[in-house]
Amino acid sequence: MALDASEQPVGEQVDAKPAKRPERLILSGRAISLVPLSAEAHADALFEGANGGDKDRVWTYLFDGPYADRAVFRANIEAKAKSEDPLFFAIVDKASGKAVGYQTFLRIEPQHRVIEVGNILYTPAMQRTIGATEAQYLFARYVFDELGYRRYEWKCNNLNAPSKRAALRFGFAFEGVFRQHMIVKGRNRDTAWFSMLDSEWPAQRAAYEKWLTPDNFDAAGRQKISLLALNGKDKP
């Protein structure tokens, strides 16, 4: 344990050089690409994908939506596309060329080298696909390998069981619940906090890359080994 001049315990010495801010660029994978969000390029596909018959489930835990009016939705996407924090990326399916979701970097703190992934909208066409996992891998790889962050966060409504399962599957560690953290759409939100550290990333990166290899899927597209098993999060 480190001690200061008065022999009180202090944190370990770390590299205090700030991380880089994320830029508007393209992160390309095998199944999807993450590209800067654009109303012109993505609003129509996102409106159709996120506001169909299952729209209530898509929007339940997000800060906005659902949307009945295409023009209102497009204006909202235009505003999101201009935002710097959160910084929005559309998720484009390579097979169809259509936007199937979006996700963001937010609470960007280069000085402390902390950044969060959030505002995640996956349309039904995106949910439970290889592309959904690949989008998270591309973000995490960019955060740790290129930008130099030391802490990567995931937060969600504590009632959002699918999001909490996803956080663990994607390699984040549960840290606790902030009670009465927010009021969202007129309702209380207790927020579950998860994180991944730079020291944990090499093992998580190896797990992602092994899971994403084509050899991990059979002819029907079923996984042979789960990401939970690969990152050790399926253990008691």
Side-chain angles (χ1 to χ4, degrees):
M1 184 190 320
L3 301 176
D4 69 4
S6 62
E7 297 191 352
Q8 296 187 93
V10 292
E12 64 179 283
Q13 200 76 37
V14 299
D15 180 2
K17 180 181 178 181
K20 300 175 184 176
R21 292 190 67 85
E23 299 179 5
R24 286 185 167 88
L25 44 61
I26 296 174
L27 300 172
S28 185
R30 182 165 57 92
I32 59 94
S33 290
L34 290 154
V35 305
L37 183 66
S38 159
E40 183 67 28
H42 309 126
D44 286 341
L46 289 171
F47 180 81
E48 292 161 7
N51 292 288
D54 205 26
K55 67 179 180 181
D56 290 334
R57 295 186 64 85
V58 171
W59 295 98
T60 298
Y61 297 110
L62 293 177
F63 292 107
D64 60 328
Y67 292 86
D69 186 283
R70 186 183 295 265
V72 172
F73 180 77
R74 185 183 182 90
N76 179 267
I77 294 296
E78 287 177 348
K80 286 173 174 169
K82 296 175 183 176
S83 172
E84 296 291 338
D85 186 351
L87 183 62
F88 281 82
F89 288 77
I91 305 165
V92 177
D93 175 66
K94 285 194 168 183
S96 68
K98 293 183 178 181
V100 290
Y102 58 67
Q103 60 190 42
T104 78
F105 292 120
L106 71 157
R107 302 187 185 276
I108 303 165
E109 298 186 18
Q111 180 180 355
H112 299 293
R113 292 163 55 197
V114 176
I115 194 168
E116 180 181 343
V117 56
N119 295 296
I120 299 170
L121 183 148
Y122 287 173
T123 66
M126 176 69 171
Q127 295 168 8
R128 304 181 67 84
T129 66
I130 292 173
T133 297
E134 189 172 53
Q136 293 300 325
Y137 163 70
L138 291 171
F139 252 30
R141 187 179 69 179
Y142 183 48
V143 160
F144 289 118
D145 293 350
E146 298 186 41
L147 300 180
Y149 285 85
R150 61 195 297 261
R151 175 180 169 86
Y152 187 37
E153 297 179 337
W154 175 296
K155 303 184 184 80
C156 63
N157 190 313
N158 193 46
L159 297 176
N160 189 349
S163 183
K164 293 196 292 184
R165 288 195 299 269
L168 294 175
R169 179 176 177 272
F170 292 140
F172 292 83
F174 176 65
E175 294 184 326
V177 176
F178 278 32
R179 299 176 300 165
Q180 296 188 175
H181 181 224
M182 294 181 179
I183 299 173
V184 179
K185 298 177 180 176
R187 296 182 182 276
N188 175 66
R189 171 173 144 162
D190 296 343
T191 299
W193 287 53
F194 299 80
S195 73
M196 188 189 304
L197 305 183
D198 54 353
S199 60
E200 299 163 343
W201 170 240
Q204 300 299 336
R205 178 179 57 207
Y208 272 112
E209 291 175 354
K210 187 170 183 179
W211 188 86
L212 286 166
T213 184
D215 292 342
N216 189 42
F217 299 89
D218 63 20
R222 295 183 294 259
Q223 67 180 4
K224 296 177 182 178
I225 183 169
S226 72
L227 185 56
L228 272 173
L230 288 167
N231 66 28
K233 294 298 174 78
D234 65 341
K235 297 176 182 178

